[in-house]
Amino acid sequence: KEVYTVERRGQTRYGVRAIAEFVWVDAWGVPQRGQGYTRDISLGGMFIRSDIQPPEKTDIQVEVSFSSLGEATSKLRISVKASVIRLESSSSTSFGPKRGFALLNRSYRLHDGSRMAEKVAD
């Protein structure tokens, strides 16, 4: 018996844990902030673990900071404009946030302090 799986995503996901800081504007026009860490990232989106969850369908700006082993800080960052497409909760007792949210990237900018790669929204 052969088993076939269908990958619905058009982009490869990478299991990357990095610090993510995010900002959105709530229904009353007040800027809100949160912080968490990425569970996975692709060019099309990402999943962020955080106990702070913006509402679904909210436009959000995210700044992800990458650090390499042996470096206290790294200049490698990705800045993303995205939409929240899904909220998740976990009953897991593992360490860290038990909630998170998935994003669909609209545009991104990858930069290391001297060079930049960019994808602008269509």
Side-chain angles (χ1 to χ4, degrees):
K1 181 177 179 181
E2 293 183 45
V3 177
Y4 296 95
T5 60
V6 176
E7 176 63 46
R8 295 183 345 195
R9 292 172 180 82
Q11 306 286 333
T12 302
R13 289 184 296 168
Y14 299 94
V16 175
R17 184 175 169 135
I19 296 170
E21 296 178 344
F22 48 93
V23 179
W24 77 98
V25 177
D26 68 17
W28 297 275
V30 178
Q32 301 293 322
R33 296 186 167 278
Q35 184 175 4
Y37 61 89
T38 59
R39 180 182 75 189
D40 55 62
I41 296 176
S42 76
L43 292 178
M46 68 180 75
F47 189 91
I48 297 175
R49 288 258 178 233
S50 177
D51 286 327
I52 298 169
Q53 292 182 307
E56 277 187 86
K57 300 180 183 173
T58 298
D59 290 331
I60 186 171
Q61 293 185 10
V62 180
E63 183 86 13
V64 179
S65 303
F66 300 94
S67 61
S68 58
L69 295 174
E71 278 189 75
T73 61
S74 172
K75 293 181 181 178
L76 183 60
R77 296 180 172 278
I78 186 168
S79 301
V80 176
K81 290 184 181 178
S83 293
V84 178
I85 58 171
R86 186 178 74 251
L87 304 177
E88 283 187 15
S89 294
S90 171
S91 58
S92 165
T93 58
S94 63
F95 177 76
K98 295 184 178 25
R99 300 188 301 172
F101 54 95
L103 300 176
L104 176 64
N105 292 349
R106 301 228 183 275
S107 65
Y108 62 83
R109 188 176 63 160
L110 180 64
H111 47 100
D112 68 1
S114 61
R115 294 172 300 196
M116 179 177 64
E118 188 169 25
K119 183 227 177 226
V120 180
D122 300 327

